Amino acid sequence: MNAVRTCDGHGCSKALPICESDNQAWIDNGFYYDFDMEPLTDKDLKRIKKEMDRIIGKNLPLVREEVSRDEAQRRITVMNEPYKMEILESIKEEPITIYHIGNEWWDLCAGPHVESTGNINRKAVELESLAGAYWRGDEKRQMLQRIYGTAWENEEQLKAYLHFKEEAKRRDHRRIGQDLDLFSIQLNHFAGHYKAGGGLVFWHPNGAIIRHIIEDSWKRIHMEHGYDLLYTPHVARAHLWKTSGHLDFYKENMYDQMNIEDDLYQLRPMNCPYHILVYKRKLHSYRDFPIRVAELGTVYRYELSGSLHWLFRVRGFTQDDAHIFCLEDQIRGEIRGVLDLTERILLQFGFSKYEVNLSTRPEKAVGDDDIWDKATTALREALDDKGWSYQIDEGGGAFYGPKIDLKIEDALGRKWQCSTIQVDFNLPQRFDITYVDSNLEKKRPIMIHRAVLGSLERFFGVLIEHYAGDFPLWLSPIQARILPVTDNQLDFCNEVTRKLKKNEVRAEVCHGERLPKLIRNAEKQKIPLMAVVGPKEVETGTVTVRSRFGGELGSITIDDFIYRITKASENRTSF
């Protein structure tokens, strides 16, 4: 058996920091350790946990030792641990540190550690799961077995975490996506067809209608905020990506080029160069600014199969991308406008809590000090004007400009990176974009990249888990299901459904089962409203409304039913 990673996993600030190192990647609320050995089972996890408890009970000291690189190599060679040798070769710092657990075991580790195993509460440690993992994330290398675990200060914290984990499992977008028939990623052979490939999302009718609603709202709000909409190609000649710098700095994330009539073409990994080409189609005056363009542009990026994770990490996704071309003295106002637009869009989806970071100039950067200072000050002042609290990430900006990153907080308190605003001094120079100022001299405009949702695929995954599939009325793929008590009312139900659809209410009829089962099915499929129709409703021209959350709401006319759904959808409220 070869143990692959050295002991460093300790979880986030809420979890108990048992140990910490540069060699084994720790994760939120836990840690993992990789092994090259015969397949493990859940039964093995129980045996391993029992042995961990024994070691904790022995109260063994954890002792730090500094050794030379040669000595570390010698010891690893004696142990025949090729993985550790590769890790050692990747460690650039000196000295090399080793931690001993009593006289029973040692490992490479940067530390620090608790003083002894007895400081760990055995009732607050849990081995959670097993998974396969390619060595160093490379699908061409050895498949290893990964054991995930978590450790906390006390049993109550562990129980709270396990409850959180169960709730997260209930909200898992992969399961809900299948249960509600929202989307699929078709990896396996099925019905005589070949698989489409990993990281490629198929939007089913229920998911596609939600995407349509999101896109329609996004476009409308952007046009209200002075943006012009664009549609640009999915491919372009490769020289475009040479000019933008992507072929030099981003090639490993780009697909291979295509030879078309002796010219090389490239699937786009970004939308920015296209928007610059639209800008360059004519000469601009200083009077034209600001110029705001926006596009829901699908991009393609090569990701290792081991890094793909359903909607959260895919190979083809649609960015809600926009670019602003403006003058230096317009940066602050434009950034404030983006912050207002971002808040408006996120609030309608139920996200009101954010973590905001302002990243400043790194050591290596393009552009002179003066423009960096002006841009960073403009971002800072826009945030101050908005009244949002934020953290400064000194030196965390991109080489091409400072930026603001915003993470949204979901119903479980998890934070998701979505929105970003980036000032760019690089692409305007690479593409030599200019305008004519008041003195008839050519000057270079400021370019601002910004996205609110990030990618539609990833945002949809977040949205599914935030609502646990219980979408608000305005987002639900089916807003109302019409249920006849018997098939004698089916003609009237079909007439009601046609009228609802004519008024842009998303409705359907469901029949063929007893009414209690029809209601249970609608609730299971998370339909917000049910309209029950019996002989009395046919006679009076009404429906008896039942809300998934509000229960029985009584009988109302068809016109009133339509009016209330329409108003609730417009106002983003419940029925």
Side-chain angles (χ1 to χ4, degrees):
M1 177 183 75
N2 279 326
V4 177
R5 302 286 182 106
T6 57
C7 184
D8 82 308
H10 72 92
C12 70
S13 58
K14 297 178 182 177
L16 177 65
I18 296 176
C19 56
E20 185 173 339
S21 165
D22 298 325
N23 299 327
Q24 175 186 341
W26 52 269
I27 55 176
D28 286 350
N29 296 323
F31 58 90
Y32 65 76
Y33 206 109
D34 290 346
F35 296 90
D36 186 359
M37 60 181 297
E38 65 276 3
L40 294 167
T41 65
D42 290 338
K43 185 177 180 180
D44 293 320
L45 287 187
K46 293 179 181 179
R47 293 170 53 206
I48 295 169
K49 177 58 168 63
K50 186 175 181 180
E51 178 64 13
M52 291 170 65
D53 290 344
R54 185 190 69 81
I55 294 171
I56 290 171
K58 293 180 69 173
N59 195 24
L60 299 172
L62 274 71
V63 180
R64 182 177 185 270
E65 179 187 9
E66 294 183 2
V67 299
S68 68
R69 186 173 297 274
D70 289 343
E71 175 61 16
Q73 290 176 343
R74 186 192 68 78
R75 296 189 190 185
I76 293 172
T77 300
V78 170
M79 293 178 66
N80 189 27
E81 291 274 11
Y83 298 108
K84 289 193 195 303
M85 189 66 75
E86 190 171 332
I87 290 173
L88 178 64
E89 291 169 356
S90 69
I91 299 174
K92 306 304 180 184
E93 299 81 9
E94 300 280 355
I96 305 300
T97 58
I98 286 175
Y99 276 83
H100 300 260
I101 299 181
N103 296 317
E104 297 195 4
W105 192 72
W106 66 266
D107 206 350
L108 290 171
C109 191
H113 285 267
V114 292
E115 292 182 359
S116 72
T117 61
N119 294 132
I120 302 168
N121 185 340
R122 73 183 73 182
K123 293 184 178 180
V125 177
E126 181 89 1
L127 294 184
E128 300 180 272
S129 62
L130 294 163
Y134 290 111
W135 171 233
R136 300 210 152 176
D138 187 343
E139 60 187 347
K140 296 179 181 179
R141 305 193 68 179
Q142 181 72 22
M143 171 66 79
L144 307 172
Q145 293 194 76
R146 178 168 294 175
I147 298 178
Y148 286 99
T150 189
W152 299 81
E153 292 179 353
N154 53 59
E155 191 174 4
E156 289 70 27
Q157 289 179 344
L158 175 60
K159 288 180 179 178
Y161 164 69
L162 294 177
H163 174 74
F164 168 89
K165 189 178 175 184
E166 282 300 311
E167 180 61 18
K169 182 178 179 181
R170 185 181 75 85
R171 294 170 178 266
D172 193 317
H173 75 281
R174 295 169 293 184
R175 179 185 60 79
I176 293 175
Q178 293 180 4
D179 291 346
L180 301 186
D181 196 21
L182 300 173
F183 71 92
S184 65
I185 297 177
Q186 299 178 8
L187 290 170
N188 300 316
H189 295 277
F190 63 99
H193 298 280
Y194 291 104
K195 60 185 180 181
L200 303 173
V201 181
F202 286 73
W203 296 75
H204 300 180
N206 286 342
I209 192 63
I210 297 177
R211 173 170 174 159
H212 166 74
I213 296 165
I214 294 172
E215 289 183 348
D216 188 61
S217 174
W218 185 92
K219 291 175 182 177
R220 177 174 48 79
I221 291 174
H222 275 76
M223 288 189 287
E224 289 177 9
H225 281 251
Y227 287 80
D228 292 316
L229 300 181
L230 299 180
Y231 293 94
T232 58
H234 290 226
V235 297
R237 293 174 63 201
H239 82 90
L240 181 66
W241 311 106
K242 181 68 175 177
T243 302
S244 69
H246 288 97
L247 279 177
D248 294 325
F249 303 109
Y250 202 71
K251 189 173 183 179
E252 67 276 8
N253 293 104
M254 298 169 65
Y255 283 95
D256 290 341
Q257 296 170 7
M258 299 171 282
N259 191 316
I260 302 176
E261 297 179 345
D262 296 325
D263 205 351
L264 294 177
Y265 280 73
Q266 181 78 55
L267 279 171
R268 65 175 173 186
M270 306 281 186
N271 301 305
C272 331
Y274 288 172
H275 294 189
I276 291 175
L277 293 185
V278 172
Y279 174 91
K280 284 176 69 71
R281 76 192 187 279
K282 64 180 181 180
L283 185 65
H284 291 282
S285 162
Y286 70 97
R287 295 186 181 92
D288 298 333
F289 296 104
I291 297 171
R292 309 182 189 104
V293 293
E295 177 182 15
L296 293 166
T298 301
V299 298
Y300 303 90
R301 299 180 187 173
Y302 175 68
E303 302 280 358
L304 293 173
S305 60
S307 67
L308 298 175
H309 183 50
W310 290 72
L311 293 181
F312 290 155
R313 188 128 185 191
V314 296
R315 286 173 171 160
F317 58 93
T318 302
Q319 289 183 311
D320 70 318
D321 218 349
H323 294 91
I324 300 170
F325 302 92
C326 64
L327 308 178
E328 287 184 17
D329 60 2
Q330 295 175 331
I331 299 176
R332 175 179 175 179
E334 289 304 304
I335 297 299
R336 174 58 195 270
V338 172
L339 296 178
D340 291 340
L341 179 144
T342 298
E343 182 177 42
R344 179 180 175 186
I345 290 177
L346 293 179
L347 276 175
Q348 70 176 347
F349 293 109
F351 298 111
S352 59
K353 296 180 180 179
Y354 319 120
E355 176 186 302
V356 184
N357 290 285
L358 170 60
S359 301
T360 62
R361 181 173 185 163
E363 288 187 16
K364 294 182 179 181
V366 298
D368 57 40
D369 292 342
D370 181 58
I371 190 61
W372 268 90
D373 291 342
K374 287 182 179 179
T376 304
T377 298
L379 266 62
R380 190 192 307 267
E381 290 177 346
L383 284 169
D384 291 337
D385 289 345
K386 185 64 179 171
W388 284 354
S389 60
Y390 58 93
Q391 301 293 323
I392 300 292
D393 181 11
E394 293 290 351
F399 77 93
Y400 51 77
K403 63 176 181 173
I404 294 171
D405 289 319
L406 185 147
K407 297 178 182 179
I408 58 176
E409 184 175 313
D410 71 6
L412 289 183
R414 298 173 299 184
K415 294 177 181 177
W416 304 89
Q417 173 67 54
C418 287
S419 310
T420 186
I421 308 167
Q422 303 173 354
V423 181
D424 189 350
F425 311 130
N426 181 49
L427 288 184
Q429 180 177 345
R430 280 181 169 269
F431 283 91
D432 191 27
I433 61 173
T434 60
Y435 69 93
V436 177
D437 71 4
S438 58
N439 296 319
L440 301 181
E441 294 179 356
K442 284 191 174 182
K443 296 289 181 65
R444 206 173 300 288
I446 299 297
M447 182 178 183
I448 300 172
H449 305 254
R450 47 112 299 198
V452 177
L453 306 179
S455 86
L456 293 188
E457 286 76 7
R458 185 170 183 271
F459 184 76
F460 187 41
V462 173
L463 206 60
I464 292 171
E465 298 201 358
H466 178 65
Y467 286 112
D470 278 314
F471 298 108
L473 182 64
W474 73 280
L475 265 181
S476 181
I478 300 297
Q479 295 175 302
R481 181 172 285 179
I482 316 303
L483 307 177
V485 175
T486 70
D487 283 354
N488 293 332
Q489 294 86 45
L490 193 53
D491 288 343
F492 181 77
C493 288
N494 287 329
E495 181 183 337
V496 170
T497 302
R498 283 193 292 270
K499 190 170 184 179
L500 289 170
K501 289 182 174 181
K502 187 176 180 180
N503 287 273
E504 299 185 356
V505 175
R506 299 183 295 281
E508 65 180 13
V509 178
C510 195
H511 65 101
E513 303 280 358
R514 292 172 59 85
L515 183 61
K517 186 171 183 179
L518 292 176
I519 292 174
R520 285 196 302 272
N521 289 343
E523 290 178 342
K524 184 178 179 180
Q525 294 164 27
K526 304 183 188 296
I527 308 296
L529 297 171
M530 289 155 272
V532 177
V533 175
K536 179 181 178 181
E537 285 77 15
V538 174
E539 182 181 345
T540 58
T542 61
V543 292
T544 296
V545 180
R546 180 183 180 89
S547 167
R548 173 163 157 73
F549 296 107
E552 298 286 351
L553 301 179
S555 296
I556 59 175
T557 65
I558 309 304
D559 288 341
D560 192 26
F561 189 46
I562 293 170
Y563 175 80
R564 290 180 61 179
I565 293 176
T566 302
K567 281 299 178 184
S569 297
E570 289 175 355
N571 298 326
R572 309 293 194 253
T573 58
S574 57
F575 183 79

